Amino acid sequence: MALSFGFMRGLIVCFVLLCLFQVSFGAKTRHYKWEVEYKFWSPDCVENPVMTINGKFPGPMIRAKAGDTIHVELTNKLHTEGVVIHWHGIRQFGTPWADGTASISQCAINAGETFIYRFKVDKAGTYFYHGHYGMQRSAGLYGSLIVDVAGGEKEPFHYDGEFNLLLSDWWHQSAHEQEIGLSSIPFRWIGEPQTLLMNGRGQYNCSLAAPFSSNYSSLGKCTLRGGEQCAPHILHALPNKTYRLRIASTTALASLNLAIGNHKMVVVEADGNYLQPFEVEDLDIYSGESYSVLVRTNQDPTQNYWVSIGVRGREPKTPQGLTLLNYLPNSASKLPLTAPPVTPKWDDYDHSKSFSNKILALMGSPKPPANYDHRIMLLNTQNRINGYTKWAINNVSLVLPFTPYLGSIKYGLKHAFDNNPPPENFSSNYDVMKPPINPNSTHGNAVYMLNLSSTTDVILQNANALSDNVSEIHPWHLHGHDFWVLGYGEGKFRDGHDEKKFNLKNPPLRNTAVIFPYGWTALRFVTDNPGVWAFHCHIEPHLHMGMGVVFAEGVHRVGNIPNQALACGLTGKKFMKKN
């Protein structure tokens, strides 16, 4: 019997509503109540004050599914300083005030105050969170954030089990002492970390691998003086299985290389985006990056194997961080028969570039627009301002205003920051291979105002620092967006020439990308997220010294900003009184 058009239309409407109901029903709001405070802790078996969440270091893991809403009620129990939390890699569509950047998206949460972060995690992947006020990441304020695929969806690869590794570096000098040294005359650099940590655990001045070391006598036996707080986080595995290893780096300084003895790794995800799988024996990971790799436990099942991290890009004065891949039912106390994997030489940049160039988007991933609407050239230089050592972008060292940009721009508070446009290029005569002829720079807090729904290219240009023959690795992180990494190059970027080398076919989507010494990196992104977003070097002391910029787009489209994110700084307080 034929059905009427009206009846069919009714069936279709009911079906669509049922699907929408199932989608909304499947998503959850996950509630957390956190208190941030200092505790005495022994991350590397030496006791120091550490920033904790609910008395834990690292902070509690958040685990959710794509489409879920995260609700974190954060109370600041620090006695003398503010705090914010940045949800690294979460794009904050529709909730830019929840990005967790002091003076950009919100006011710092004062001592004793509570702020509610509420946002949606829209995309599966490996992420983390960390403090974004002062140098609180160096003080230990960080934790893992894992987003699984939504119900009914599948990953494009199979695995039997999963491990999570959050990598960090650790100093015995407090973050406050480090800040003072960076802002002193004469300049006092923070130095290399004492220890590398895996999931907040490491061993200072001793090594699990001491029996294999030439200086075994000086290291002695490794006695875990801090007990459970510094005991290695062992990866317990069954033979002949495939494991997904989620790796994220929240280091304050160190670029790292990770390897697993006798095991190869297949890289499948970076910064929450799927990759064309490729196999490696070791993996470089820079601060702010995350990866997923697949590991097959197909080696001798009677043995255990080292998991090792070592420093890259800086002359290493920090011992390798170690734990074990424990093949069950072997005892976890059974050490491997051979020494840990050797970390590639710290300045073997060809090795690093080879790895970076293998990272390509999974077939079928979104491709970048073929052309750009706007291009910004950003030159990284080390400079001086009134005798202080700073980092600058296009000769401007970033100093954030007292009133957050998001509210200032949204409500037209014109005197809250410099309204003159910042420089979008640098002198064509600048020699990136030599120290600056004029090392003097200036402070600034102007904003790059970008048109909404346009395509922006950013060319990150590295240069020589103040000292001869010194150019450092800088991992740059963009808030509120992913970008396509179109390519890397040597020396000074040549407009019209180097862009011919851009990969527009399958460039990876990332939120963090590295610039190599004396080189350039080309990025492309679409301004599709109304808000104000930080873009900065993810090395903690470099950002503290001014290596960052701020982008704004479509702020008029932003909804009502919570009062708590606005009412700081003289301009913000005056605005709140009027309204």
Side-chain angles (χ1 to χ4, degrees), residues 237-276:
L238 293 170
N240 296 312
K241 300 289 184 182
T242 298
Y243 288 89
R244 179 181 190 168
L245 180 58
R246 295 181 183 266
I247 313 157
S249 175
T250 186
T251 55
L253 174 65
S255 302
L256 300 174
N257 180 272
L258 181 140
I260 305 173
N262 286 38
H263 291 73
K264 293 184 178 180
M265 299 175 283
V266 177
V267 187
V268 293
E269 178 225 341
D271 298 351
N273 295 287
Y274 297 125
L275 303 178
Q276 199 64 33

Side-chain angles (χ1 to χ4, degrees), residues 138 318 399:
S138 294
T318 310
V399 177

Side-chain angles (χ1 to χ4, degrees), residues 5 39 42 67 69 77 115 143 151 188 200 203 213 247 261 279 309 348 385 431 442 457 482 487 530:
F5 175 75
K39 295 282 189 183
S42 302
T69 296
K77 295 193 73 175
F115 184 87
R188 296 188 186 183
Q203 293 78 48
S213 175
I247 313 157
E279 188 177 75
I309 53 173
D348 183 357
I385 300 177
D431 189 346
T442 184
D457 276 13
D482 286 346

